[in-house]
Amino acid sequence: MFESLSTRVQDVFKSLRGEVRLTPEHVETALREIRLALLEADVNFKVVKAFIDRVRDRSLDQEVLKSLSPGQQVIKIVRDELLALFGDAEGGLQKSAPTPRVVLLLGLQGSGKTTTAGKLGKWLTRQGKHPLMVSTDVRRPAAIEQLSVLGTQAEIPVFAPETMDPVARARGAVAEAKAKGFDTVIVDSAGRLHIDDELMGELQAIKDAVQPSDLLYVADAMTGQDAIKSAGEFNRRIGVTGVVLTKLDGDARGGAALSVVSVVGVPIAFIGSGERLEDLELFHPDRIVSRMLGMGDVLSLIEKAEQAIDKDEAEELEEKLRKNEFTLDDFRTQLRTIKRMGPLESVLGMIPGLGNLKELAQNKPDEKQLGRVEAIISSMTAAERRNDKIINGSRRKRIASGSGTTVEEVNRLLKQFTEMRRMLQMIGQGGMPGLGKGMKLPQMQRASGAASGKKRKKGGPWGLIKAR
Ligand SMILES: Nc1nc2c(ncn2[C@@H]2O[C@H](COP(=O)(O)OP(=O)(O)OP(=O)(O)O)[C@@H](O)[C@H]2O)c(=O)[nH]1
Ligand SMILES: [Mg+2]
């Protein structure tokens, strides 16, 4: 979907190959191509303009990474700014919600609301949740039936009362969820060809009745800028917490994805990439950007250069370990680094001695687990993150409900964190279980080593945060 963008950016990159310095002329040539590529991809022109201005400013700025060539520098800046277009959004549902969580799907006719309801139900089931679905689309005769068919396929219960009043149906589903212990209610709503007051009134009434924590605007990516315009309208009138971009598997040009955050001001929560129930992905800005730029090798090179910068961070971490000041805050920073950089080993390479620890070698935790761990830590107060000792039973309960996890998971995380800190501390002091007391480990593999592209060793204490 982003082919033209990726081709053009790669051409820019090729044209800059062999250049030693980045001159204003180079930058202008590169920017011209990138601007065209973005416009071709149907990105909103205002977004393009602001984007190009920022890339220009930063390209001409001297704070560039010495280890990158001019071409790589431009790519790096373009990548950073593309990521910035998506804001800090991490995708998914709101971090915290009352039980049952109510998710209302809204959008224009045929955008994929009902399909997304089924997909989301399936996705939630995979997260260990128990969703209940309900259709409030009483206008189109087959709509209610369509959702029950999907429910059967996805093995998700569908609430189907007698009443044909949209508000009563939604309200009934929430009552049913409370009574039967469902933790999420997915409310499918009716679509219209155009935004009209009747539709808005109905949605507002449903919203008032069931107080959804998540109002997901379902947008057909194929309709490009039009989808964005109406997303803005729904956001103004009803309020939208996230966008689901559907049909990104088709020949949508993808520009909608790039403009939606800037224009509508709400993050992308999920993307739909097919008609099957499995075709819903959590939105990951970095993945989309890599796909857009389509140059894995250059991007990983840029990451390595950035790791060298993270050397300072690594030294700070080492100091903290030595002083036994490693907190949940630091832990979360490390998790984010992992998520950002992908390969676990590169992060491990920065922690003193860790690259050498066969004893700790474990499998990588997968991204979903990292996400849950991060959600748990993010639901703690700053004081709790600084000092995990104060996290008593009632705080654990609050953290669990705030992060949509269970007290057991919180307990497990805290236990693993304590364990990990204890180990890190031993390593920091040069003693290692199994190596004999006082035995020194070989000099750590520093970040500079990691950045030089040496093959890193697997394993480390991250294995400890595996869910089970
Ligand atoms: N290729 C592709 N097709 C999709 C995707 N999501 C939905 N569709 C298709 O789009 C069509 C419309 O989807 P629905 O879920 O019925 O849309 P809706 O918003 O509920 O429509 P109304 O209820 O009529 O407003 C169906 O044929 C779906 O199979 C997607 O991500 N990719
Ligand atoms: Mg529908």
Side-chain angles (χ1 to χ4, degrees):
M1 58 175 163
F2 295 111
E3 266 162 32
S4 120
L5 184 58
S6 129
T7 322
R8 280 191 190 264
V9 174
Q10 294 191 38
D11 287 347
V12 170
F13 178 60
K14 272 189 215 126
S15 73
L16 290 173
R17 191 171 286 165
E19 299 289 349
V20 189
R21 304 181 71 121
L22 203 56
T23 66
E25 292 76 41
H26 291 144
V27 172
E28 282 314 317
T29 318
L31 287 179
R32 203 160 39 237
E33 290 297 312
I34 294 166
R35 179 194 288 117
L36 269 175
L38 292 172
L39 289 173
E40 271 171 13
D42 193 32
V43 181
N44 179 292
F45 72 95
K46 283 188 201 149
V47 175
V48 175
K49 184 173 183 316
F51 178 85
I52 294 290
D53 288 346
R54 276 198 308 276
V55 174
R56 179 186 294 111
D57 282 353
R58 285 195 47 199
S59 305
L60 298 176
D61 200 357
Q62 288 314 300
E63 48 97 16
V64 280
L65 297 178
K66 286 189 202 68
S67 48
L68 295 181
S69 72
Q72 290 161 352
Q73 279 170 21
V74 174
I75 308 278
K76 173 180 154 42
I77 295 168
V78 170
R79 185 209 55 175
D80 290 353
E81 291 300 328
L82 283 173
L83 277 175
L85 280 183
F86 293 118
D88 304 326
E90 286 173 26
L93 299 174
Q94 297 295 307
K95 283 263 147 46
S96 65
T99 314
R101 173 195 291 271
V102 179
V103 182
L104 175 60
L105 299 169
L106 33 111
L108 294 178
Q109 195 172 75
S111 58
K113 294 177 295 300
T114 307
T115 314
T116 301
K119 289 175 176 180
L120 185 63
K122 186 112 196 202
W123 184 84
L124 284 164
T125 313
R126 284 201 300 269
Q127 314 289 309
K129 302 275 181 211
H130 302 284
L132 175 70
M133 303 199 286
V134 65
S135 172
T136 60
D137 187 354
V138 294
R139 231 148 300 228
R140 197 159 59 80
I144 293 177
E145 180 58 22
Q146 186 192 356
L147 190 70
S148 14
V149 171
L150 277 171
T152 311
Q153 277 172 16
E155 295 175 29
I156 296 160
V158 177
F159 182 66
E162 293 284 303
T163 170
M164 284 294 136
D165 172 49
V167 175
R169 292 178 71 88
R171 197 184 273 137
V174 174
E176 171 88 354
K178 280 187 186 144
K180 302 242 172 96
F182 292 101
D183 50 28
T184 317
V185 178
I186 303 173
V187 183
D188 183 21
S189 67
R192 295 285 192 287
L193 273 177
H194 298 286
I195 295 165
D196 58 50
D197 288 340
E198 199 193 339
L199 169 67
M200 290 297 177
E202 184 177 304
L203 286 171
Q204 186 64 50
I206 295 174
K207 181 187 168 186
D208 292 344
V210 296
Q211 303 283 323
S213 60
D214 297 81
L215 292 117
L216 297 181
Y217 179 79
V218 180
D220 179 343
M222 309 262 267
T223 61
Q225 294 308 308
D226 283 344
I228 299 208
K229 224 182 284 156
S230 53
E233 187 65 17
F234 275 84
N235 188 35
R236 269 188 299 281
R237 311 246 313 237
I238 311 288
V240 169
T241 60
V243 172
V244 181
L245 266 185
T246 61
K247 311 188 193 178
L248 274 173
D249 50 316
D251 46 11
R253 284 173 292 171
L258 277 174
S259 327
V260 74
V261 181
S262 320
V263 177
V264 187
V266 295
I268 302 175
F270 294 94
I271 57 179
S273 53
E275 294 186 69
R276 297 173 315 148
L277 282 167
E278 293 76 39
D279 299 330
L280 185 78
E281 291 172 47
L282 204 61
F283 177 70
H284 287 286
D286 43 353
R287 281 194 205 153
I288 282 260
V289 168
S290 312
R291 226 144 85 188
M292 279 193 275
L293 294 177
M295 30 173 67
D297 48 339
V298 181
L299 291 180
S300 60
L301 208 143
I302 291 170
E303 277 174 8
K304 279 189 196 138
E306 284 172 340
Q307 283 174 24
I309 299 205
D310 288 341
K311 190 178 160 189
D312 291 349
E313 261 177 47
E315 272 164 12
E316 203 178 301
L317 178 64
E318 197 183 344
E319 182 68 24
K320 280 186 170 162
L321 286 174
R322 218 186 339 265
K323 292 194 192 154
N324 195 16
E325 282 170 359
F326 188 71
T327 63
L328 282 157
D329 259 329
D330 302 318
F331 187 49
R332 186 173 58 171
T333 309
Q334 295 303 310
L335 285 180
R336 289 196 172 142
T337 314
I338 292 178
K339 270 170 66 180
R340 198 179 63 214
M341 304 220 267
L344 217 42
E345 295 81 20
S346 56
V347 185
L348 292 175
M350 294 177 193
I351 301 179
L354 237 60
N356 302 321
L357 296 182
K358 286 232 170 59
E359 287 91 330
L360 291 176
Q362 305 240 3
N363 296 330
K364 292 182 199 184
D366 70 32
E367 221 164 299
K368 198 178 94 196
Q369 288 161 356
L370 289 183
R372 288 179 84 79
V373 169
E374 199 183 323
I376 292 176
I377 302 181
S378 297
S379 293
M380 296 174 183
T381 64
E384 288 165 351
R385 282 199 292 269
R386 267 195 309 275
N387 179 13
D388 56 291
K389 292 202 179 62
I390 64 171
I391 309 180
N392 58 17
S394 67
R395 286 176 185 253
R396 285 173 199 224
K397 238 185 245 161
R398 192 208 72 235
I399 293 166
S401 74
S403 55
T405 60
T406 61
V407 174
E408 288 74 51
E409 277 176 275
V410 176
N411 288 342
R412 193 159 56 223
L413 167 71
L414 287 170
K415 194 161 158 257
Q416 288 166 340
F417 168 73
T418 317
E419 186 88 328
M420 175 175 161
R421 184 172 50 195
R422 196 177 57 82
M423 287 200 179
L424 287 175
Q425 214 189 322
M426 274 197 251
I427 298 157
Q429 291 166 353
M432 247 315 284
L435 284 180
K437 241 202 154 68
M439 192 152 167
K440 269 285 194 204
L441 279 169
Q443 197 50 45
M444 74 175 277
Q445 186 189 355
R446 292 299 274 271
S448 50
S452 71
K454 260 190 242 162
K455 190 117 187 68
R456 282 164 229 114
K457 305 215 171 67
K458 282 216 166 64
W462 303 107
L464 288 170
I465 59 173
K466 270 182 82 85
R468 253 166 273 267

